[in-house]
């Protein structure tokens, strides 16, 4: 899994900082998560191929999370895209995009499929044979979801020494990988676990922005390989976090700790702070494995 | 008058080129003309003060001319703007902006006043004591207006030698500037034209983008100090210009020549061309005073 941060700052696009957008490469997918103004330029800057994006996930309809979307949809059209595009977003976005296309009298030549989200429960919104995506209901000023991207468990791994020792025919290898017991060449039933090993632990990535401190999401993201959690404020401004339904770095770390995630990535910094290292220092007082998101930075996990 | 080009390329924002947006400084106004994606970042880059913008003129509702507007409106709110903002744009934009604010549950704390344009005739849409702005109906795939920004004639200038010679009381100087004949200290009527000079010729700027070649606009922009006219294509691609309702550099120059403007500024280049100098060379075969728009370039006239 590779995560590229296209933008990780709150509120407004500036000369050197972009609003929220990131790309997750997982099992040959290129998932775009949020799409602030300027996202298409950042995709170019990071040499991410436009036509590999087939699924876009929008957390909520505040501008710094989606004002780049209609431009991207429009650019796809100009690039004569034919592949269908799926957009997972709060209800309302379809009406908006449709109105914009109507006013421009410019309709996409590719299929644009909206998956409008309305549920307040975590739900499965995408699935193929290798990946699942779930919503993570968040607590913000408007209807907002985070997203949990999960690899499905892979096949069991053959312990080749044991397999050869037990004299199992090659025709049964696939059944073994799928977890079945099989008979060997002597007709003896071989227990699967004696000749295979557990598959690599499936990885998962949780994106949680924007949200107030919200322990309800801990059970959904439990054990995620990595968690991106917004930290708009430092602890000294906690009184601003509450009414605006944002989090502090300390609160983000507390969620990471309770959810026992592998790594915490902080982002969505308020423009009031010059020194972002304070976010990392503060979070590390609660949870050890913390990294700061930065526009253009990539994370592998 | 000072014109700052924030973006002058067609279609999509790219790493080093921006879609249409420009700022005209005229008689202490800072008029924003079109507002493609990325405009607010370009305003910052060009150190143009956000709170000096009180009037925004949108030519048409194709994305490369207005996708940066909602973000700018939203940023004004975050900057706690209180000054009212006037937006002159085709009908439909108000509905769109209102829907976006509704979905975000974020309403401006300043007054947002839409002047929705629907007329197919040139009309006066803004006027104060020093400036007038008229629409210029253009011929494009959707309803589109250019804009003509005109200084009003200033006061007559006193010929101080003549004024002193004629022994006119200082109390009458303002009447002279306003064009009246006055009596001198000896009670003799002094003809205005014998003691004053014509005011500086008022300047005007015409913005025409996007449009097919359209001679109907010649009489509206006649004698303008400067004309920005789109030139999406070179003459060799004229067959593309027609169905897309765009112009070639040669056609833009032909309009400039017929309208006897002071200077022609070309822009809205298609991304297919690497060498923009060809636009200038081509236009100069028809009209001499041609300059190329370039993002970040300023023109004074």
């Amino acid at each position: 899994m590779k995560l590229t941060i296209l933008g990780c700052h709150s509120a407004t696009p500036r000369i050197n900082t972009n609003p929220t957008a990131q790309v997750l490469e997982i099992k040959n997918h290129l998932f775009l998560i949020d799409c602030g103004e300027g996202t298409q330029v950042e995709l170019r800057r990071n040499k991410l191929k436009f036509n590999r994006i087939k699924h876009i996930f929008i957390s909520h309809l505040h501008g710094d999370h989606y004002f780049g979307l209609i431009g991207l949809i429009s650019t796809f059209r100009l690039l004569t895209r034919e592949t269908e595009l799926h957009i997972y977003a709060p209800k309302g976005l379809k009406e908006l995009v449709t109105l914009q296309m109507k006013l421009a009298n410019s309709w996409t030549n590719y299929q644009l499929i909206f998956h409008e989200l309305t549920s307040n429960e975590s739900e499965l919104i995408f699935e193929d044979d290798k990946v699942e995506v779930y919503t993570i209901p968040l607590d913000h000023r408007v209807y907002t979801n985070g997203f949990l991207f999960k690899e499905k468990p892979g096949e069991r791994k053959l312990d080749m020494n044991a397999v050869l020792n037990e004299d199992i025919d090659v025709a049964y290898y696939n059944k073994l990988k799928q977890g079945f017991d099989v008979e060997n060449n002597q007709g003896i039933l071989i227990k699967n676990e004696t000749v295979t090993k557990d598959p690599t632990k499936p990885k998962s990535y949780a994106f949680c922005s924007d949200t107030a401190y919200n322990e309800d999401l801990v059970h959904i993201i439990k054990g995620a390989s990595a968690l991106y959690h917004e930290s708009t404020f430092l602890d000294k401004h906690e009184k601003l976090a509450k009414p605006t339904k944002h989090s502090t770095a300390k609160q983000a770390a507390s969620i990471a700790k309770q959810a026992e995630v592998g790594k915490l990535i902080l982002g969505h910094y308020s423009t009031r702070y010059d020194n972002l290292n304070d976010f990392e220092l503060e979070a590390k007082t609660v949870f050890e494995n913390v990294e700061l998101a930065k526009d253009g930075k990539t994370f592998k996990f």
Side-chain angles (χ1 to χ4, degrees), chain A:
Chain A
M1 249 192 255
K2 182 181 171 194
L3 179 70
T4 304
I5 306 293
L6 302 178
C8 63
H9 295 263
S10 71
T12 65
R14 288 163 171 258
I15 295 175
N16 295 311
T17 62
N18 299 302
T20 304
Q22 42 185 260
V23 170
L24 182 71
E25 293 183 62
I26 173 174
K27 300 287 179 195
N28 223 24
H29 289 290
L30 215 69
F31 290 143
L32 177 61
I33 309 165
D34 278 353
C35 189
E37 185 171 345
T39 295
Q40 57 179 305
V41 172
E42 296 310 308
L43 285 169
R44 288 185 193 276
R45 207 187 303 276
N46 289 278
K47 301 194 193 317
L48 292 160
K49 291 247 182 290
F50 281 36
N51 57 12
R52 285 193 58 206
I53 297 172
K54 289 168 191 163
H55 301 271
I56 300 178
F57 300 85
I58 301 292
S59 62
H60 65 300
L61 299 182
H62 281 160
D64 55 333
H65 293 256
Y66 90 98
F67 280 167
L69 180 65
I70 178 68
L72 185 61
I73 289 171
S74 164
T75 294
F76 282 152
R77 181 180 60 77
L78 292 167
L79 297 174
T80 65
R81 178 190 181 105
E82 289 181 358
T83 321
E84 59 186 33
L85 179 67
H86 294 263
I87 297 177
Y88 308 80
K91 190 169 159 58
L93 187 64
K94 181 179 179 177
E95 180 188 354
L96 188 65
V97 171
T98 307
L99 178 58
Q100 284 175 307
M101 293 197 292
K102 188 182 122 198
L103 291 172
N105 193 24
S106 296
W107 304 88
T108 59
N109 35 0
Y110 57 91
Q111 226 189 320
L112 193 55
I113 300 156
F114 287 91
H115 304 263
E116 294 206 297
L117 306 177
T118 54
S119 174
N120 291 313
E121 305 291 327
S122 176
E123 55 180 349
L124 179 68
I125 55 172
F126 172 83
E127 182 177 19
D128 67 7
D129 55 339
K130 292 188 175 154
V131 177
E132 290 174 337
V133 184
Y134 293 86
T135 56
I136 306 169
L138 299 177
D139 178 18
H140 194 42
R141 302 194 304 278
V142 290
Y143 176 72
T144 305
N145 290 292
F147 301 102
L148 177 66
F149 302 87
K150 288 176 80 166
E151 291 177 359
K152 287 187 174 178
E155 294 183 319
R156 297 191 64 77
K157 290 181 172 174
L158 300 184
D159 176 347
M160 280 315 294
N161 283 342
V163 167
L164 294 172
N165 245 1
E166 295 289 4
D167 194 20
I168 300 171
D169 194 281
V170 69
Y172 288 112
Y173 286 5
N174 269 340
K175 280 201 100 114
L176 283 176
K177 287 182 189 169
Q178 289 160 22
F180 294 100
D181 301 337
V182 298
E183 280 186 3
N184 70 0
N185 290 329
Q186 286 73 47
I188 300 165
L189 190 73
I190 307 296
K191 290 293 232 185
N192 188 289
E193 60 267 31
T194 63
V195 292
T196 67
K197 294 174 188 165
D198 287 345
T200 316
K201 195 183 164 228
K203 289 172 196 149
S204 59
Y205 169 64
F207 169 87
C208 295
S209 186
D210 296 351
T211 188
Y213 176 72
N214 177 18
E215 293 181 358
D216 291 348
L217 58 86
V218 169
H219 75 279
I220 305 173
I221 65 172
K222 195 87 186 181
S225 316
L227 163 66
Y228 177 94
H229 194 292
E230 74 126 291
S231 55
T232 307
F233 297 107
L234 291 172
D235 187 51
K236 65 182 174 189
H237 293 122
E238 199 204 331
K239 64 181 186 307
L240 293 176
K242 209 160 210 174
T244 58
K245 297 220 171 192
H246 283 300
S247 302
T248 66
K250 206 167 181 177
Q251 291 172 332
S254 172
I255 296 294
K257 186 179 182 184
Q258 292 169 67
E260 298 172 332
V261 301
K263 179 201 293 288
L264 169 64
I265 302 168
L266 295 176
H268 203 266
Y269 320 110
S270 161
T271 53
R272 80 187 57 219
Y273 304 107
D274 289 330
N275 186 1
L276 299 183
N277 290 329
D278 292 341
F279 285 87
E280 188 175 340
L281 291 174
E282 179 173 308
K284 279 190 170 166
T285 63
V286 176
F287 182 80
E288 189 164 349
N289 195 358
V290 178
E291 284 199 59
L292 295 180
K294 197 182 152 202
D295 297 3
K297 188 170 173 180
T298 58
F299 295 90
K300 289 185 182 168
F301 32 81

